[in-house]
Amino acid sequence: MARARARFPWRWRRALVQLGALAVFLWLARPAAPHAPAEAGWAFRLDPLAPLSALLGWTWSWWLLPAVAVLALALLAGRWFCGWLCPLGTCLDGCAAAGAPLRRRLPPAGAAIARVRWLRGSLFAALLAAALLGLPLLGVLDPLALVARALNSLDPWLRAGADHGSLWVADQVPAAAGASEPLYRWLSDHVLIQRDAVPALALLSLALFAGALLAELVARRAWCRLLCPLGALLGLAARRAPVRRTPDTTCGSCTLCATACPAGALTAGGKLDPAACIQCQGCQDACPRGLPRPARAAGPPAGEPEVSRRGFLAACAGGSAAALAAGGGEPPEDCLRPPGVADEGAFRRACVRCGLCIGACPTGGLQPLALEAGAGALFTPALVPRRGGCEENCTRCGEVCPTGAIPRLSAGQKPAHPLGLAVVDRERCIPFAQKESCLVCEEFCPVPEKAIRIVGRHGPGKPRVIADRCTGCGLCEQHCPVEGVSAIRVLRRGHASAGDD
Amino acid sequence: MTSPSRREFLAQVAAFTAGVTLLPPLLELDRLPAAEAGAPAAKPLLAVGRNADPEAATTAAVAALGGMKAFVKEGQTVVVKPNIGWDRSPEQAANTNPGVVKALVAMALAAGAKQVKVFDRTCNDAKRCYANSGILAAVESLKDPRAECVHIDNRRFVPVKIKDAVAVEEWTFYRDALECDVYINAPVAKHHGISRLTIGLKNVMGVIGGDRGKIHQNIQQKLADLNRVVRPALTVVDCSRILLRHGPQGGKLEDVEKRDLVIASRDPVAADAYAATVHGLKPEDLAWLSAARDAGLGVMDLAQVTVKEV
């Protein structure tokens, strides 16, 4: 019995949900969130890679339960998250719609993609094995983190665009300024970032995001099918999901649904691979009889799994070898972790590399690391005091962290968790080297009883750091008026060159 | 560091577009009060309001100078510039007491101001400073659309050449501070590591752009230069609580003493000189104050000032 086609096609329903979810995601991840922006991490609480990272770092937050629910949904009924909620998936679908004419002119790559569909699962296995052996890089390819980091990198340009644009409007069309200025003010206070410095690794962040978009021009959802670790995890869960597309093969000679499937879920021979299906329901739209629908399946899935047992073992071995080759990597003396981070190894494993802390840091001091502290610290946050210190009463990084990698400290707890220790360079410090008064470091020291004392009776007073009061906040380093490298620098505590002053 | 260059660029854009008309009147403005201050015949008047409630003390002190109507005319734009530099609570006395700000804004509104803006270029995160100082809430509690406590808009710093300057020949200033009809300086008097005290003249740091750390070498002369540009019609110094040590940020309540007084004067130098005595210092102890007097910005010798206690 043929059913009538849905009057409101699935692709429209899905587009509405996707755009809504993307809007919520972007709103939550906006950098100008007010004082208690704990909600910034909410989107990542749906990301099953977040609890996985937390578990790898031996931490846990009950706030991650929604992500466990997403995983459970995949175990039960497949990858609805990927098709309907994932912000990167939505960007990719948008890119696919916009780039359709271009893609049609390129040679079809579907078959080639299908041949290398083992890549995603193998990469995931390798990343997992490497993470267990001290090279945690799962988050680098986390699709939500990919979007959040790209947004972080665009923030300063959005700010500059709004600044220049509003001036231009006010200048060219003075009559419009009555409307454009209040809009600018609202954006400035509630949406845009407050600073204009471009974060570190912005180009890499944007390149990863752009790469995923470009791959979309080669084949639909190429990123999701070949690289996405979240797709691999949810696919693994969905492989034996009892509820899946029924019928789980194409019918006879008609392959309209297989052609329409953006995820290549109907593999060679028209058999369904539930791990590939993203539940977009496009097959329902494509089927002249509207046949395929999610339903309780009778037996095991018809299609072949993406990774063979041998391939899986090889990937694990490869990941382990990479981790052993990369080594632990002792962080350099100026690598200052966010307040409260005690165990470097656990921090690296638990950090999902979402960059929310970096966007939320009001001074712009938190920056993603490149390879300064080894490959395993890629995109993890560290304080660069010259860009911005750690404000005394600010606890935003811990509030937004979705995995608990940065602990939630109260402002009162922060002094007990120093980030490092300030050290004066007497060769550069103005009162020492130029015999002129300065004392900006003392002025900015937020410790009420001052961790920097001005001492010396002869000539201008000179700064002296009192080690057991210094919280390593780096506000002194940020504001030091010496050109270039600051004359007062915060170094990791316990490091050989720290603690002599 | 790429940020200053962009900011400067924006400032130049602002100056060359809407701002070209701004600079000539600014220079004229620069001349007027200097001539006034140079006339020794008028003995400056200084009012000291004593009241445990900073709001009442402020109202009384301004009333003693002839009330806000003596400063603000119907339809004028007013800037009230408190010190909101630090992420500190009113009890810690690192920022101007919100009661003082509230009283000034309320009086300016009652005098018929078209618009009253309250702002400061903060040292800590601006949102935290505005909230924790209590000043944002104080202004909002007036529920008047003409009054607003606004965040600094980086587009609005414009370069100004300072006439007769000794140490700073050019710097960027916040346009709103230059363009308003009435500029009311509302500092808090507190300890400062390098200038000993920070009061009204140093409060100008909150309306300048650029790297303010650079001001700290030879700060005495530089403050005098910067104060040639921004000339308050009225200076109101908050001494309701004074921070005696570990300034300008403070943080320890043991360093704070309640004095329950607010100083108001047209003369910015006299106001600071009197505030120095509240801290137990002599005006001559403050090198930046002498430099301001030498620049003709006001009267430092309190014997030459009429003090009115209310």
Side-chain angles (χ1 to χ4, degrees):
Chain A
M1 173 70 199
R3 283 189 301 122
R5 271 200 203 210
R7 228 174 273 161
F8 192 50
W10 282 96
R11 61 173 181 280
W12 291 116
R13 298 183 206 189
R14 191 165 72 97
L16 280 178
V17 173
Q18 281 183 301
L19 287 175
L22 180 65
V24 170
F25 180 84
L26 295 178
W27 178 253
L28 291 177
R30 78 195 187 283
H35 287 154
E39 74 274 10
W42 286 3
F44 281 85
R45 290 180 181 147
L46 291 174
D47 175 2
L49 287 181
L52 188 62
S53 298
L55 287 176
L56 285 169
W58 293 115
T59 110
W60 179 253
S61 158
W62 291 106
W63 288 107
L64 292 170
L65 271 184
V68 178
V70 168
L71 196 62
L73 174 69
L75 274 166
L76 203 72
R79 291 167 55 193
W80 290 86
F81 180 86
C82 304
W84 292 70
L85 294 177
C86 175
L88 183 59
T90 303
C91 296
L92 294 178
D93 289 345
C95 182
L102 184 61
R103 192 175 60 248
R104 274 197 287 274
R105 254 181 269 163
L106 295 170
I113 298 271
R115 272 198 299 278
V116 288
R117 68 192 189 103
W118 50 267
L119 188 61
R120 181 182 71 174
S122 309
L123 182 65
F124 179 63
L127 285 172
L128 208 55
L132 283 169
L133 289 171
L135 183 68
L137 292 172
L138 265 174
V140 172
L141 297 180
D142 181 320
L144 281 74
L146 213 66
V147 179
R149 290 194 308 254
L151 186 66
N152 260 358
S153 310
L154 284 175
D155 282 335
W157 278 296
L158 295 177
R159 158 62 70 177
D163 285 1
H164 289 282
S166 57
L167 279 181
W168 185 84
V169 168
D171 184 39
Q172 300 288 318
V173 203
S180 69
E181 280 303 290
L183 175 68
Y184 171 81
R185 278 269 298 280
W186 182 81
L187 287 172
S188 182
D189 288 354
H190 299 285
V191 179
L192 294 168
I193 201 156
Q194 300 301 315
R195 52 178 185 270
D196 45 20
V198 176
L201 299 189
L203 279 182
L204 179 60
S205 302
L206 289 171
L208 279 170
F209 181 64
L213 292 185
L214 283 178
E216 191 65 21
L217 297 177
V218 178
R220 292 293 327 274
R221 293 273 186 155
W223 161 271
C224 317
R225 289 155 78 178
L226 296 184
L227 292 173
C228 183
L230 180 55
L233 174 63
L234 291 177
L236 207 62
R239 174 83 193 142
R240 299 258 165 194
V243 176
R244 54 179 181 253
R245 187 196 119 126
T246 310
D248 62 0
T249 54
T250 48
C251 321
S253 61
C254 174
T255 56
L256 282 174
C257 62
T259 316
C261 180
L266 291 151
T267 54
K271 291 174 184 163
L272 174 75
D273 175 8
C277 172
I278 58 169
Q279 303 295 342
C280 69
Q281 310 304 323
C283 44
Q284 282 199 50
D285 284 344
C287 179
R289 295 193 289 160
L291 271 185
R293 45 198 299 222
R296 214 189 147 95
E304 291 289 312
E306 17 179 297
V307 187
S308 65
R309 186 170 301 179
R310 186 178 293 174
F312 173 77
L313 290 174
C316 288
S320 311
L324 294 176
E330 181 58 29
E333 62 173 11
D334 57 355
C335 173
L336 309 174
R337 290 306 191 182
V341 171
D343 180 346
E344 172 72 21
F347 173 68
R348 290 181 183 195
R349 288 194 299 275
C351 174
V352 75
R353 324 288 160 101
C354 63
L356 288 177
C357 52
I358 292 161
C361 179
T363 68
L366 277 186
Q367 291 291 322
L369 285 178
L371 300 173
E372 300 94 326
L378 183 63
F379 283 120
T380 58
L383 188 79
V384 181
R386 199 55 168 156
R387 282 180 167 241
C390 179
E391 293 231 340
E392 185 192 17
N393 295 329
C394 177
T395 52
R396 291 176 73 175
C397 52
E399 284 160 18
V400 300
C401 180
T403 63
I406 306 175
R408 280 189 161 223
L409 298 179
S410 67
Q413 290 170 314
K414 268 178 75 179
H417 300 269
L419 283 80
L421 177 62
V423 180
V424 177
D425 179 352
R426 297 183 176 191
E427 304 288 314
R428 302 172 54 77
C429 177
I430 292 169
F432 282 105
Q434 295 166 30
K435 311 270 187 281
E436 278 184 48
S437 67
C438 175
L439 321 187
V440 175
C441 53
E442 191 254 11
E443 177 181 353
F444 275 90
C445 177
V447 178
E449 50 278 351
K450 294 287 178 194
I452 299 176
R453 269 280 142 89
I454 300 306
V455 293
R457 293 180 186 280
H458 308 291
K462 299 168 183 69
R464 168 174 229 120
V465 178
I466 300 157
D468 48 351
R469 288 183 191 164
C470 178
T471 61
C473 73
L475 287 166
C476 50
E477 182 174 340
Q478 177 188 349
H479 293 281
C480 172
V482 170
E483 292 281 343
V485 178
S486 169
I488 184 163
R489 298 187 67 212
V490 182
L491 303 176
R492 284 174 82 85
R493 280 193 179 242
H495 197 277
S497 58
D500 65 332
D501 214 293
Chain B
M1 293 267 177
T2 54
S3 48
S5 64
R6 194 179 69 77
R7 203 168 277 156
E8 280 159 24
F9 171 73
L10 287 175
Q12 279 157 15
V13 170
F16 280 113
T17 55
V20 266
T21 51
L22 159 80
L23 292 174
L26 168 73
L27 292 173
E28 280 169 38
L29 260 178
D30 205 21
R31 241 170 265 131
L32 269 171
E36 208 172 86
K43 205 173 166 184
L45 180 65
L46 182 141
V48 180
R50 289 183 195 274
N51 197 311
D53 174 17
E55 211 177 318
T58 308
T59 309
V62 174
L65 295 181
M68 192 55 94
K69 278 201 164 35
F71 301 93
V72 177
K73 303 275 170 282
E74 191 85 29
Q76 285 189 315
T77 57
V78 179
V79 164
V80 175
K81 162 63 178 75
N83 188 330
I84 329 180
W86 305 97
D87 181 11
R88 295 288 191 223
S89 67
E91 295 71 31
Q92 291 168 321
N95 301 314
T96 306
N97 189 288
V100 173
V101 181
K102 186 177 173 184
L104 288 173
V105 175
M107 283 187 284
L109 291 172
K114 185 171 76 182
Q115 187 187 41
V116 184
K117 280 189 179 179
V118 179
F119 55 78
D120 190 16
R121 183 177 168 205
T122 60
C123 297
N124 291 142
D125 174 34
K127 285 188 180 180
R128 278 174 194 284
C129 295
Y130 275 42
N132 290 354
S133 66
I135 288 174
L136 178 65
V139 175
E140 283 179 348
S141 72
L142 293 168
K143 293 198 173 57
D144 191 316
R146 293 174 294 158
E148 46 178 5
C149 185
V150 287
H151 282 292
I152 287 287
D153 179 345
N154 283 335
R155 304 170 305 165
R156 298 180 70 79
F157 285 101
V158 291
V160 175
K161 280 210 192 317
I162 305 174
K163 252 183 86 193
D164 305 325
V166 179
V168 197
E169 286 173 357
E170 189 180 329
W171 204 269
T172 56
F173 286 77
Y174 200 56
R175 217 165 114 181
D176 299 35
L178 304 175
E179 282 182 337
C180 63
D181 297 321
V182 183
Y183 183 84
I184 300 175
N185 195 16
V188 60
K190 57 180 174 169
H191 169 259
H192 189 276
I194 169 164
S195 55
R196 295 195 73 172
L197 292 180
T198 161
I199 320 173
L201 293 170
K202 190 159 182 300
N203 203 27
V204 72
M205 298 285 276
V207 294
I208 65 168
D211 178 1
R212 296 182 289 186
K214 298 244 188 317
I215 297 290
H216 283 72
Q217 293 99 50
N218 191 10
I219 192 167
Q220 285 79 7
Q221 189 55 52
K222 286 179 182 169
L223 281 182
D225 288 349
L226 295 173
N227 275 284
R228 287 172 180 277
V229 178
V230 183
R231 296 289 183 87
L234 170 65
T235 300
V236 177
V237 183
D238 169 26
C239 294
S240 58
R241 290 185 181 85
I242 59 172
L243 178 63
L244 295 164
R245 288 169 295 273
H246 299 130
Q249 275 198 72
K252 278 170 76 177
L253 292 179
E254 303 90 270
D255 293 337
V256 177
E257 269 183 24
K258 246 173 106 69
R259 290 294 164 86
D260 295 335
L261 68 92
V262 171
I263 302 157
S265 177
R266 287 175 186 271
D267 186 321
V269 178
D272 281 12
Y274 192 91
T277 65
V278 178
H279 270 266
L281 293 178
K282 290 197 285 286
E284 320 61 277
D285 294 340
L286 303 168
W288 50 267
L289 199 55
S290 309
R293 177 206 48 201
D294 296 344
L297 296 177
V299 177
M300 190 175 88
D301 180 5
L302 287 174
Q304 303 299 318
V305 175
T306 311
V307 177
K308 210 165 149 186
E309 298 255 355
V310 282

